[in-house]
Amino acid sequence: MTRKQNNNLIPNSDRTPEELRAITSKGGKASAEARRRRRDFKEIAQHLLTMTVKNGSQDDLEAIRSIAELKGQNITVADAIMIAITQNAMKGDIQSANYIRDITGQKPKDEVELTATVNEGKLGSILKQLEKNTKSIKK
């Protein structure tokens, strides 16, 4: 049973090659724009991390807003968000610090490497038992 919302969808197999090209072109352009936004966000965070702070005072936290002057344009929402997150991190907010670490590409891997040794004596006997059981099943 299909959902009511899916009734107006047209499968790709029913579309013309021109329609498919147009759709994939739009998707590619949107993907490129999203990559640009992520790259810009990362660059803003990296720029904020390289700024110098004297004695870590509150005045220095407010001086971070000068990034707009450095860029020669009005501050964007992304800039304002990154500035606020950086300010929170400098005040001791661990979640903000972790977010900045992650967005700048310094996130540790979420993998766990496991090494183990196997007692070959037990493994050998298990394999022999399996082999014996398989032979009896084949007959």
Side-chain angles (χ1 to χ4, degrees), residues 30-50:
S31 176
E33 179 61 29
R35 280 194 311 275
R36 268 192 295 279
R37 279 195 310 268
R38 281 193 302 272
R39 183 201 62 217
D40 292 345
F41 212 55
K42 180 178 180 179
E43 287 176 359
I44 292 166
Q46 288 174 333
H47 180 73
L48 288 171
L49 289 177
T50 59

Side-chain angles (χ1 to χ4, degrees), residues 25 39 46 49 52 70 83 87-88 91 93 100 128:
S25 175
R39 183 201 62 217
Q46 288 174 333
L49 289 177
T52 58
L70 294 175
I83 289 168
Q87 289 174 338
N88 288 341
K91 291 177 185 175
D93 182 10
I100 292 171
K128 286 179 184 176

Side-chain angles (χ1 to χ4, degrees), residues 70-87:
L70 294 175
K71 292 175 71 176
Q73 60 188 19
N74 289 333
I75 194 166
T76 65
V77 174
D79 294 336
I81 290 170
M82 281 309 303
I83 289 168
I85 291 171
T86 304
Q87 289 174 338

